[in-house]
Amino acid sequence: MRLSHGGTIDRSKPINFTFDGQSYQGYAGDTLASALLANGVKLVGRSFKYHRPRGILSAGSEEPNALVELRMGARREPNTRATMVELYDGLVAHSQNRFPSLRHDLLSINSKLSPFFAAGFYYKTFMWPASFWEKLYEPLIRKAAGLGRNAGLADADTYETGHLFCDVLVIGAGEAGVKAAYEAAISGARVILCDEQAPSDAVDMPSVKYLPRTTVFGVYDGGTYGAVERVADHLAVPAAHQPRQRYWRIVAKRSVLATGAIERPLVFTNNDLPGVMLAGAVETYITRYAVAPGGRAVLFINHDGAVSALAAMGHSVMAVAAVVDARAESSPVIREIAAAFSIPVFSGAVIQRARGRLAVESVEVLTRDGGVVRFDCDVVAMSGGWNPALHLTSHLDDKPVWNDAIAAFVPDGLPPGMTAVGAAAGEAINLNIVPLWSVPGADAKAFVDFQNDVTAADIRLAKQEGFIAVEHLKRYTTLGMATDQGKTANVNGLALMAMATGKTVPQTGTTRFRPPYTPVALGALAGPHRGKSFKPTRLTPTHEWAKSLGAVFVETGLWLRAQYFPKMGEDWLAATNREVLAVRQRVGICDVTTLGKIDIQGPDAAKFLECVYTNSWTNLAVGRARYGVMLREDGFVMDDGTTARISEQHYVMTTTTANAGKVFQHLEFCHQWLWPEMDVRLISITDQWAQIALAGPHARDVLQKIVDKTFDVSNAAFGYMAAGEVTICGGTPARLFRLSFSGELAYEIAVPARFGGALAAALMKAGEEFGIVPYGTEALGVMRIEKGHPAGNELNGQTSAHDLGFGKLLSKKKDFIGRAMAARPALMDQARPNLVGLKPVNEADRLRGGAHLLAHDAQPVAANDQGHVTSAAYSPTFGHSIGLALLKQGAARHGEIIRVYDPIRNGDFLAEVVNPVFYDAQGSRLHA
Amino acid sequence: MRIVCPHCGERGLQEFLYHGDATVTRPRDGGAEPTPEWTDYVYFRENPNGTHVELWYHNAGCHAWLVVTRNLRNHLITAVETAHDVALGRSS
């Protein structure tokens, strides 16, 4: 119930919200948890396994019980901690894991069956028959156990990511954190102060960058910290252009851990009933939110720390029936405060059991002399001591150490640059503590891990069955493996295992904490990188031109390339066939800008090319281009392309589109690391030059119309594989290469990127009289298969130069990358699958990439596999399907009939092995 | 992790690509035969429990190859040099 005064809530701002469809009112400054308690709502959820009624245990991010589905529709978020949800007008929350309702949960029958659901239950019960697991057991278990429901829709919110830099990062804006931030700031340091709670008036330091609602969830190498700022989670919907959350990478020279401590529950029977709360949480609800969680409380303690909770209850309207102190002698400080409010203190006593159906109604206290006294109450405030919130200290592999004096783990080694202060360092907590890990008789209803329903009995069972090592304990019982990562459970669980095995806690060990400290939405980590923004999109210089012609685009790596240019009524195949035939019979243009282009200059440029290519380069004349193959150092083919010699010390290399970045990085490696003495410079010019292929019997006719007259591009002057600098269209600088990927008379014209669209338009205009067409990557691909050029499907990282028919390009006269390893006998073996062409015997059969090859009379079993189809296309030039394939001993098998077997797509037919160069094998068209 | 690039200053891990061991050296004029020396160079790597000298590439920066001395146990970086300088020193 709401107190008439006190707290930091704003009573002038009432806020309406609903929980399970029921309307309630709270105030600005409330959390969902405090507002529910103010309205007398204690039952907020059902437990994971047993569907036991659960209430609000804590007032912070450690909350294991009060998990709700927040919001509706695409914004519905499961497993949201009610203790961390700031109330906003119109908030809608639902309880989860119950059917049909929270008060009448039919699956609470699981609680009656709990002996069957104890630790290890799944492992033991659902073993047999194995086939039942996937079909029957798992769906049933998933339906019965579990937490909230996924929204099932795309996230409606946006997220941002960013970097922050500071001298000192202070984590936690409690008393110790604020003090540390203040001291660092007055020393002149750049300070960032992060706190997971809502903004606090106590922080008033203009020189400090204060990030409230920000959880530092992980510590990483080099003083890097991961943090999530909940920018708009306290609003119904983020404001326009406001992200829901921000993921910060904070780089800090030093950090101060001021995360405080997390209170431990006490382990007694039915300690999970709604109304049983942490004493510190009761105090927080009274003092911060002006809410009395109930009318009559019993306080159960084993140290002095709960004295402030006792005082808070005493000063409020709550009655306190008794202080149950497990210590043989209660400290004077407890006795004094209790006496001030006339509260009886039972020293040497424990609560052995709570009673109640949907909430606590009474407790049974086992007194020092063995008697049992019953107290009616609707709140049990318990405190078994506090654990320093030292999770971040172990993210870089440091382990906390046990401090017997305060019966808690404290930081030992710390990440570089980190200092722990206040309660996080174990200061001023657990005074005069006498550890009490479970009360006598704590049974299968005495919970250690509330969220995963792990009880004291489960831990004893784990020990009995030999799962004694702490990591085994964790996995066998699932202790600490829920979304709260055992913040309230782990130390109690460890101590119980220590008791069961007769060891000390330090002998038993601790599990290590890993990031994230609290759950982090994947959306926050992804930030803006989702959907089309997952990766950047690169547009070619002719993109707008192609778009205006109705091109259909395809993603190739980051690039969007024109795939085909359909005319009215054409599908992709009809358009592609038309484009291929137009190039073969007349002329066409295609943007090839995406090929990697690398400018190589310097006195040692030719020598450098000798090192990275397998073939010879010193004898390439100025004004000529040459095809080259690159290997990796392990002898497999890395990439191929052409390189042109522009002048004495100036070369321009092209790479495949896919490997452009990789090849450039490789060349830098060769230059900087392997041959540093070479005087050569490299730069990527892929984005600087637009490049368009002009191909077809009329290519030269079109070219002559755009190249300025001072340049002679006749066949005699500018033959096959010529290269040079020209001007076009009246003075525009260009580079001209007589290269052909299509197998026709062809040129590639490169102009500064800004002229790309204009060049395409100029070529179309010049080619109009010759019936020029634009063609896309589909037609390009068909023509390269017709010409038997290996591409990505063949340059797959597993093929050698010999496999692809490039054996003659391996120079015997010089060192080059991959030379020695390419000479390994296994890579030279002619029995290896190598490149062939395939032609179906029945021309109606369609070859498909991935189909396997068998001897024509072989059984279709893996042992008989002889290779596979790497690339296939319908060839409009030949009127049937053609393919490239890697076939064992393929080069020696031209003319043989083999079986093409593709059971997944019902392919099983015969094909003839042929020369991979289907079209113009003599190359006469190239030289026309 | 943060790497202090000699050209660009301290930068986040996202800007760099990892290559591997910098202590293996390519056999000079190693010939055309796949000798055991080549096999060692191409395939065999130590996985030291401690200091490792390794190559990184400043992909989203200056495109320099770097020789980084890093402790594999705790990722502490004690030295960063440009690969070009190291390689020149090695060959002289």
Side-chain angles (χ1 to χ4, degrees):
Chain A
M1 91 191 206
R2 186 72 69 180
L3 302 175
S4 58
H5 61 277
T8 57
I9 49 158
D10 186 347
R11 288 179 174 76
S12 70
K13 288 184 187 154
I15 288 178
N16 295 305
F17 70 100
T18 69
F19 177 65
D20 277 349
Q22 181 90 32
S23 297
Y24 300 100
Q25 201 170 68
Y27 293 114
D30 262 326
T31 62
L32 176 58
S34 70
L36 286 170
L37 287 172
N39 283 280
V41 178
K42 288 193 170 171
L43 174 62
V44 297
R46 289 281 177 167
S47 74
F48 179 66
K49 215 157 62 167
Y50 303 135
H51 288 251
R52 284 172 64 92
R54 289 287 166 81
I56 294 159
L57 180 74
S58 75
S61 63
E62 70 271 32
E63 179 60 37
N65 282 343
L67 306 181
V68 298
E69 287 177 356
L70 189 68
R71 298 187 164 91
M72 305 280 280
R75 288 197 163 86
R76 186 175 74 203
E77 189 174 22
N79 310 333
T80 308
R81 290 151 297 168
T83 51
M84 294 301 285
V85 175
E86 293 176 47
L87 208 61
Y88 55 83
D89 212 37
L91 179 148
V92 177
H94 285 92
S95 58
Q96 47 191 43
N97 200 31
R98 81 292 192 263
F99 177 82
S101 77
L102 192 51
R103 294 184 68 83
H104 303 285
D105 182 353
L106 294 177
L107 286 166
S108 61
I109 187 73
N110 286 6
S111 187
K112 301 279 189 297
L113 298 172
S114 62
F116 300 104
F117 282 87
F121 165 67
Y122 298 141
Y123 308 132
K124 291 171 193 164
T125 311
F126 296 116
M127 291 288 289
W128 184 89
S131 62
F132 275 32
W133 173 254
E134 211 173 297
K135 291 197 183 87
L136 183 64
Y137 297 145
E138 192 182 353
L140 271 178
I141 293 167
R142 288 208 182 276
K143 202 168 160 57
L147 298 167
R149 298 165 301 158
N150 189 309
L153 296 167
D155 194 335
D157 291 313
T158 59
Y159 300 83
E160 287 179 354
T161 59
H163 283 80
L164 290 173
F165 298 85
C166 62
D167 297 315
V168 181
L169 169 67
V170 181
I171 306 161
E175 202 181 315
V178 169
K179 184 163 171 275
Y182 177 75
E183 285 171 1
I186 58 171
S187 78
R190 285 189 304 168
V191 181
I192 294 173
L193 173 60
C194 292
D195 191 89
E196 62 178 356
Q197 297 282 341
S200 160
D201 294 339
V203 183
D204 184 19
M205 294 176 283
S207 61
V208 169
K209 184 172 177 67
Y210 173 41
L211 293 174
R213 302 186 177 112
T214 302
T215 304
V216 176
F217 64 76
V219 181
Y220 303 92
D221 297 303
T224 308
Y225 299 79
V228 165
E229 180 184 7
R230 290 176 295 279
V231 180
D233 276 0
H234 61 292
L235 306 173
V237 174
H241 310 299
Q242 187 183 38
R244 176 185 168 220
Q245 297 182 346
R246 258 184 218 117
Y247 162 42
W248 291 113
R249 279 198 188 101
I250 303 176
V251 181
K253 293 198 180 86
R254 298 194 53 186
S255 65
V256 178
L257 187 78
T259 44
I262 294 172
E263 203 164 15
R264 296 197 286 249
L266 285 161
V267 181
F268 56 91
T269 298
N270 296 335
N271 64 341
D272 63 329
L273 274 175
V276 180
M277 302 173 72
L278 295 169
V282 173
E283 179 185 350
T284 299
Y285 286 115
I286 294 170
T287 57
R288 188 185 300 168
Y289 302 108
V291 172
R296 188 176 157 86
V298 171
L299 177 67
F300 184 15
I301 57 171
N302 63 340
H303 64 104
D304 291 348
V307 68
S308 58
L310 179 59
M313 287 191 284
H315 283 295
S316 79
V317 297
M318 286 177 81
V320 181
V323 173
V324 179
D325 192 335
R327 297 174 292 181
E329 284 301 325
S330 294
S331 308
V333 61
I334 296 288
R335 293 191 166 282
E336 278 163 27
I337 298 291
F341 294 104
S342 308
I343 301 166
V345 176
F346 293 79
S347 302
V350 296
I351 294 178
Q352 65 174 14
R353 171 183 295 270
R355 290 187 175 278
R357 200 175 72 84
L358 293 177
V360 62
E361 290 159 20
S362 66
V363 292
E364 290 173 9
V365 174
L366 181 65
T367 60
R368 180 203 303 264
D369 54 17
V372 175
V373 188
R374 183 162 169 161
F375 292 96
D376 289 336
C377 61
D378 57 2
V379 169
V380 175
M382 60 181 170
S383 181
W386 294 75
N387 294 321
L390 44 67
H391 305 68
L392 297 176
T393 67
S394 65
H395 285 184
L396 294 188
D397 217 27
D398 294 298
K399 262 189 161 174
V401 64
W402 183 253
N403 180 327
D404 236 0
I406 60 169
F409 285 101
V410 294
D412 188 23
L414 289 164
M418 184 183 278
T419 310
V421 297
E427 290 164 11
I429 55 169
N430 302 350
L431 296 180
N432 299 315
I433 192 168
V434 176
L436 174 67
W437 302 117
S438 80
V439 305
D443 63 7
K445 303 278 190 292
F447 286 84
V448 178
D449 183 329
F450 293 79
Q451 199 176 110
N452 259 355
D453 275 348
V454 180
T455 67
D458 287 328
I459 292 169
R460 288 197 295 269
L461 181 66
K463 186 256 161 184
Q464 211 176 320
E465 304 203 334
F467 296 91
I468 292 166
V470 55
E471 297 293 344
H472 292 164
L473 168 68
K474 179 175 162 179
R475 281 154 186 83
Y476 188 65
T477 62
T478 70
L479 175 81
M481 290 170 74
T483 63
D484 67 341
Q485 293 281 291
K487 289 187 178 61
T488 55
N490 281 346
V491 174
N492 280 345
L494 273 172
L496 285 172
M497 180 53 87
M499 278 171 62
T501 53
K503 289 180 182 167
T504 63
V505 176
Q507 281 169 340
T508 307
T510 177
T511 58
R512 215 153 315 176
F513 301 104
R514 297 187 188 91
Y517 174 66
T518 49
V520 176
L522 288 175
L525 297 177
H529 301 289
R530 60 185 228 196
K532 277 301 289 174
S533 303
F534 180 65
K535 292 185 288 189
T537 300
R538 298 175 81 178
L539 301 183
T540 65
T542 61
H543 186 82
E544 290 304 319
W545 165 82
K547 215 162 104 180
S548 74
L549 293 182
V552 173
F553 293 93
V554 62
E555 289 181 24
T556 55
L558 301 180
W559 292 99
L560 273 188
R561 297 184 72 179
Q563 190 178 11
Y564 53 97
F565 294 80
K567 292 201 161 160
M568 188 74 82
E570 278 184 338
D571 64 2
W572 71 271
L573 185 59
T576 303
N577 289 343
R578 175 181 52 74
E579 290 168 17
V580 169
L581 292 175
V583 173
R584 293 268 180 254
Q585 291 158 12
R586 304 192 303 273
V587 62
I589 60 169
C590 180
D591 189 314
V592 293
T593 303
T594 61
L595 294 177
K597 298 186 278 293
I598 301 169
D599 196 89
I600 302 171
Q601 299 193 40
D604 291 329
K607 208 166 128 195
F608 182 71
L609 291 174
E610 293 279 351
C611 292
V612 297
Y613 274 130
T614 62
N615 45 338
S616 176
W617 290 84
T618 43
N619 58 359
L620 180 72
V622 171
R624 299 289 299 167
R626 180 169 286 172
Y627 177 76
V629 174
M630 280 182 201
L631 305 184
R632 302 189 308 229
E633 197 71 278
D634 65 3
F636 289 91
V637 175
M638 179 166 78
D639 201 53
D640 70 346
T642 55
T643 292
R645 191 170 193 176
I646 301 290
S647 67
E648 195 59 32
Q649 298 184 5
H650 186 185
Y651 294 79
V652 175
M653 173 186 284
T654 64
T655 72
T656 60
T657 299
N659 288 333
K662 199 166 90 180
V663 169
F664 184 72
Q665 180 190 334
H666 171 71
L667 297 189
E668 289 284 13
F669 178 84
C670 293
H671 173 227
Q672 294 178 33
W673 183 242
L674 298 182
W675 294 289
E677 65 285 349
M678 283 194 192
D679 192 356
V680 59
R681 288 292 177 273
L682 316 165
I683 192 161
S684 167
I685 53 167
T686 306
D687 289 294
Q688 281 66 34
W689 290 83
Q691 198 149 318
I692 294 179
L694 170 67
H698 286 297
R700 186 156 50 239
D701 300 328
V702 178
L703 185 74
Q704 277 167 335
K705 287 179 70 177
I706 68 153
V707 171
D708 292 343
K709 297 293 172 220
T710 44
F711 298 94
D712 182 0
V713 291
S714 68
N715 196 31
F718 202 83
Y720 182 58
M721 295 305 263
E725 294 183 312
V726 298
T727 61
I728 63 170
C729 303
T732 302
R735 287 176 179 165
L736 187 62
F737 309 92
R738 188 163 165 191
L739 307 173
S740 178
F741 199 52
S742 57
E744 299 298 333
L745 164 68
Y747 301 86
E748 289 184 13
I749 309 154
V751 289
R754 63 186 182 281
F755 298 129
L759 173 60
L763 286 167
M764 286 301 287
K765 191 153 175 285
E768 210 172 350
E769 61 178 294
F770 306 104
I772 196 166
V773 299
Y775 64 98
T777 54
E778 284 296 330
L780 187 82
V782 170
M783 288 188 280
R784 78 99 186 159
I785 295 172
E786 289 177 343
K787 276 302 283 184
H789 290 307
N793 294 356
E794 288 78 32
L795 305 174
N796 63 7
Q798 298 176 328
T799 44
S800 72
H802 290 287
D803 298 342
L804 300 177
F806 298 148
K808 61 186 180 300
L809 292 180
L810 300 180
S811 168
K812 294 188 170 30
K813 296 176 189 155
K814 57 155 189 169
D815 184 22
F816 57 85
I817 295 275
R819 179 197 197 191
M821 295 305 262
R824 285 181 287 175
L827 265 70
M828 315 263 286
D829 190 349
Q830 287 303 307
R832 282 176 59 85
N834 48 50
L835 190 70
V836 295
L838 288 181
K839 175 179 180 271
V841 170
N842 174 355
E843 291 189 350
D845 285 328
R846 179 177 168 189
L847 288 157
R848 293 174 193 263
H852 280 262
L853 308 179
L854 306 161
H856 74 277
D857 53 355
Q859 287 302 305
V861 293
N864 292 336
D865 188 25
Q866 298 201 328
H868 70 279
V869 179
T870 52
S871 303
Y874 174 77
S875 164
T877 312
F878 296 101
H880 58 77
S881 178
I882 60 171
L884 298 178
L886 292 166
L887 173 68
K888 282 184 180 170
Q889 284 168 318
R893 295 171 67 175
H894 293 182
E896 186 180 330
I897 302 296
I898 58 163
R899 183 176 177 185
V900 179
Y901 188 65
D902 186 10
I904 292 171
R905 292 168 294 190
N906 294 323
D908 189 1
F909 55 87
L910 298 177
E912 183 186 349
V913 179
V914 296
N915 182 341
V917 185
F918 292 87
Y919 185 73
D920 186 25
Q922 296 74 36
S924 54
R925 299 180 75 89
L926 304 171
H927 296 89
Chain B
M1 209 153 82
R2 311 275 297 165
I3 294 176
V4 181
C5 171
H7 300 137
C8 310
E10 186 185 307
R11 298 295 169 128
L13 187 64
Q14 303 77 15
E15 293 189 7
F16 298 89
L17 296 176
Y18 181 70
H19 181 81
D21 196 342
T23 62
V24 292
T25 47
R26 190 172 190 273
R28 282 184 85 80
D29 307 320
E33 293 305 310
T35 58
E37 194 189 2
W38 275 104
T39 311
D40 284 348
Y41 170 66
V42 173
Y43 292 113
F44 288 91
R45 297 293 181 271
E46 294 297 322
N47 182 21
N49 182 357
T51 301
H52 191 232
V53 182
E54 57 199 18
L55 284 160
W56 290 75
Y57 181 61
H58 198 179
N59 186 50
C62 59
H63 289 169
W65 280 91
L66 304 174
V67 176
V68 175
T69 307
R70 181 174 66 109
N71 188 315
L72 297 191
R73 285 197 70 83
N74 55 24
H75 300 175
L76 282 181
I77 292 170
T78 47
V80 184
E81 300 160 275
T82 65
H84 195 247
D85 288 346
V86 175
L88 281 175
R90 181 187 58 203
S91 59
S92 65

